[in-house]
Amino acid sequence: MRNIAFKLEYDGTSYHGWQRQDNAVTVQEVLENTIAKVTGEHTSVIGCSRTDTGVHALGYICNFHTNSRIPTDKFPYALNTQLPSDIRVLQAFEVAADFHARYCSKGKKYRYKIINTTFHSVFQRNYACHWPYPLNVELMKKAAQYFIGEHDFRAFMATGSSVKDTVRNVYALSVEKYAHEIIMEISANGFLYNMVRIIAGTLLYVGNHRIDVEDIPYILNKGDRTQAGITAPAQGLYLVEVYY
Amino acid sequence: MRNIAFKLEYDGTSYHGWQRQDNAVTVQEVLENTIAKVTGEHTSVIGCSRTDTGVHALGYICNFHTNSRIPTDKFPYALNTQLPSDIRVLQAFEVAADFHARYCSKGKKYRYKIINTTFHSVFQRNYACHWPYPLNVELMKKAAQYFIGEHDFRAFMATGSSVKDTVRNVYALSVEKYAHEIIMEISANGFLYNMVRIIAGTLLYVGNHRIDVEDIPYILNKGDRTQAGITAPAQGLYLVEVYY
């Protein structure tokens, strides 16, 4: 059997995230059904991570095993003619038999997009977080520095998560302003549930003077979710890259 | 009575253009209904132009007469809380009693957006024309020069239009490439029906070597629609600015 990996781009607006669910349409389900149409085989696709409802992907990685004889480089063309227009297979790779999109991942990069204008942009309403209040981007950049490195990110995890090891290593965290758009990019060896969105929400609170920059190390140490900022909305979040 | 003008931004994806129609939802209808909700008055809104189904606007101008006492600068806030998220009132102005958004217009500027990649971008599928074939942008720029100035644009008008005077003055026409995105901007004293989309389609044909650059003056002179390129799809088109 061949082991095929896909790099996907998807607009998460209409999906209840990646992972198959009983009563909601997910990217995994749509992709598995389309693979079945194209190859004639019912297969289970392994995703690099769950993503939440409304979250987008620019470089989602998944893999599946198949006996299909479709040449690897023809898979994107074969799938894309059958997939809905909000999911694209950008590339296909033949990978080693033991490659597993989730277990083999060494880390990921996410982007969070903020539009800082009085009224939301009609074109970005599903593709960014609209923030109508003043933002001091220099403060956000300063705060970002405190997240870099190995820390216990318990305070930046959705309450109710059952993960025990809450230490993660943030490789990089940048905040850049382009006209009215603020782009945050974060890469780490792994992420706790809602970690990127809570860090984004905390940076928004820092930029809006609701949290003091110098309180960030304290919030990290204390490990108390209620001290951090809001969970910024899903539609601003993009999975950009998965490291292997 | 006060005469109020609005500058609107809208995502045309879900609308059958600007103008009220019996069996389809249009921007005009939604705006008039929302003004009625906010002011309690049924009013007719005058638009600067019809736009086609799927066409977007960054700076659409319209006006209406009202006895409402809502302060002019509060209108955007009052309307935006009631409007669907794909229409925003960006600004409101109190204008002279005889101001008419269509008759007073001295010209307009449109943008046409092309994404030149193998597979379409899921995020731009409703906001750009996807062109998967090679494009020589230098040839497109050369061709663009021939459209500038006063010409009879009969060859660049949808067949079946009944307009008699087909002479228009194109003030500027630029073609710029940013990574995989090609942006065409055109401003003129007026536009024939589908003129921007047919010029865009003709430039795409020039870039793809289906029409020779040097044939453009000939096509303009001949005035034969069949010699020009395709009508490029509506979703790539944006009304950017209206001149008064």
Side-chain angles (χ1 to χ4, degrees):
Chain A
M1 263 195 148
R2 297 157 69 199
N3 189 5
I4 303 286
F6 282 166
K7 181 178 170 185
L8 303 181
E9 180 181 85
Y10 60 79
D11 173 349
T13 310
S14 307
Y15 297 99
H16 284 252
W18 165 263
Q19 183 141 319
R20 240 183 206 284
Q21 287 176 35
D22 277 344
N23 300 309
V25 180
T26 65
V27 179
Q28 183 183 17
E29 178 193 335
V30 169
L31 186 63
E32 288 177 354
N33 293 347
T34 309
I35 291 173
K37 246 193 235 177
V38 166
T39 65
E41 295 173 344
H42 287 275
T43 180
S44 185
V45 178
I46 299 158
C48 60
S49 79
R50 299 177 179 205
T51 57
D52 282 345
T53 301
V55 171
H56 312 292
L58 299 168
Y60 191 95
I61 304 291
C62 59
N63 73 291
F64 64 101
H65 296 85
T66 181
N67 286 313
S68 163
R69 291 185 175 187
I70 297 172
T72 306
D73 62 337
K74 293 289 179 280
F75 264 112
Y77 296 89
L79 270 287
N80 287 340
T81 56
Q82 304 287 332
L83 280 166
S85 64
D86 50 8
I87 305 177
R88 287 295 94 170
V89 178
L90 298 180
Q91 285 178 279
F93 316 86
E94 186 139 5
V95 287
D98 62 349
F99 175 86
H100 186 287
R102 189 162 78 254
Y103 298 152
C104 298
S105 156
K106 294 205 173 82
K108 291 186 198 79
K109 182 186 194 173
Y110 282 94
R111 181 177 300 159
Y112 198 86
K113 197 169 170 180
I114 297 152
I115 308 276
N116 190 210
T117 48
T118 308
F119 303 120
H120 80 252
S121 154
V122 300
F123 303 105
Q124 299 285 336
R125 69 194 194 282
N126 296 320
Y127 306 115
C129 160
H130 175 237
W131 186 263
Y133 314 110
L135 279 179
N136 182 326
V137 178
E138 289 314 309
L139 286 181
M140 295 169 75
K141 286 184 187 206
K142 264 193 195 170
Q145 293 305 307
Y146 286 118
F147 290 99
I148 298 170
E150 197 169 81
H151 300 282
D152 184 336
F153 282 95
R154 195 178 314 185
F156 298 87
M157 175 174 75
T159 45
S161 296
S162 57
V163 180
K164 275 173 198 159
D165 180 7
T166 50
V167 174
R168 295 292 183 275
N169 192 356
V170 170
Y171 305 137
L173 174 52
S174 64
V175 177
E176 294 297 337
K177 191 176 194 301
Y178 308 93
H180 298 299
E181 218 171 282
I182 294 149
I183 304 288
M184 174 189 121
E185 287 202 334
I186 184 166
S187 58
N189 64 344
F191 293 90
L192 302 169
Y193 187 50
N194 277 354
M195 178 168 149
V196 183
R197 291 167 55 189
I198 300 170
I199 292 177
T202 303
L203 293 181
L204 283 168
Y205 270 23
V206 168
N208 198 229
H209 303 282
R210 301 190 205 185
I211 291 179
D212 197 275
V213 184
E214 305 307 333
D215 283 347
I216 301 294
Y218 166 82
I219 297 169
L220 277 163
N221 279 330
K222 190 117 189 268
D224 176 3
R225 170 68 189 92
T226 65
Q227 304 287 303
I230 49 160
T231 304
Q235 76 264 21
L237 187 60
Y238 296 75
L239 173 57
V240 175
E241 201 180 338
V242 188
Y243 306 122
Y244 291 100
Chain B
M1 266 198 144
R2 296 158 70 202
N3 189 5
I4 303 287
F6 282 167
K7 182 178 168 183
L8 302 181
E9 181 181 84
Y10 59 80
D11 173 348
T13 309
S14 307
Y15 298 99
H16 285 252
W18 163 264
Q19 180 139 322
R20 241 183 206 283
Q21 289 176 33
D22 278 342
N23 301 306
V25 181
T26 64
V27 178
Q28 183 183 16
E29 178 193 335
V30 169
L31 186 64
E32 287 176 354
N33 293 347
T34 308
I35 291 172
K37 248 194 234 177
V38 167
T39 64
E41 295 172 342
H42 288 276
T43 178
S44 184
V45 178
I46 299 159
C48 61
S49 77
R50 300 177 176 204
T51 57
D52 282 344
T53 301
V55 171
H56 313 294
L58 300 167
Y60 191 94
I61 303 290
C62 59
N63 73 291
F64 64 100
H65 296 85
T66 181
N67 285 314
S68 162
R69 291 185 176 191
I70 298 173
T72 305
D73 62 336
K74 292 290 178 280
F75 264 112
Y77 298 89
L79 270 288
N80 287 340
T81 55
Q82 304 289 333
L83 280 167
S85 64
D86 50 8
I87 304 177
R88 286 297 92 172
V89 178
L90 299 181
Q91 286 177 278
F93 315 86
E94 186 140 4
V95 287
D98 62 349
F99 176 85
H100 186 288
R102 189 162 78 255
Y103 299 151
C104 298
S105 157
K106 294 209 173 79
K108 293 188 195 78
K109 183 187 191 171
Y110 282 94
R111 182 176 298 158
Y112 197 87
K113 196 168 170 182
I114 297 152
I115 308 276
N116 190 210
T117 49
T118 308
F119 303 120
H120 79 251
S121 153
V122 301
F123 303 105
Q124 298 286 335
R125 68 193 193 283
N126 297 320
Y127 306 114
C129 160
H130 174 238
W131 185 263
Y133 314 109
L135 278 180
N136 182 327
V137 178
E138 289 314 310
L139 285 182
M140 295 169 75
K141 287 185 188 208
K142 264 194 195 171
Q145 293 305 308
Y146 286 117
F147 291 97
I148 299 170
E150 196 169 81
H151 299 282
D152 184 336
F153 282 96
R154 192 180 315 186
F156 298 87
M157 174 175 76
T159 45
S161 297
S162 57
V163 181
K164 274 173 197 158
D165 179 7
T166 50
V167 173
R168 295 293 182 274
N169 191 357
V170 170
Y171 305 137
L173 173 53
S174 65
V175 178
E176 293 297 337
K177 193 177 192 300
Y178 308 93
H180 297 299
E181 220 170 279
I182 294 148
I183 305 288
M184 174 189 119
E185 286 201 337
I186 184 166
S187 58
N189 64 343
F191 293 90
L192 302 170
Y193 187 51
N194 277 354
M195 180 169 146
V196 183
R197 290 166 58 190
I198 301 171
I199 292 177
T202 303
L203 292 180
L204 284 168
Y205 269 24
V206 167
N208 199 229
H209 302 284
R210 299 189 207 184
I211 290 178
D212 198 274
V213 186
E214 305 307 334
D215 282 347
I216 301 294
Y218 166 82
I219 297 169
L220 277 164
N221 279 331
K222 189 111 188 276
D224 176 4
R225 170 71 190 89
T226 66
Q227 304 286 304
I230 47 162
T231 304
Q235 77 263 19
L237 186 61
Y238 297 74
L239 173 57
V240 176
E241 202 181 337
V242 188
Y243 306 122
Y244 291 100

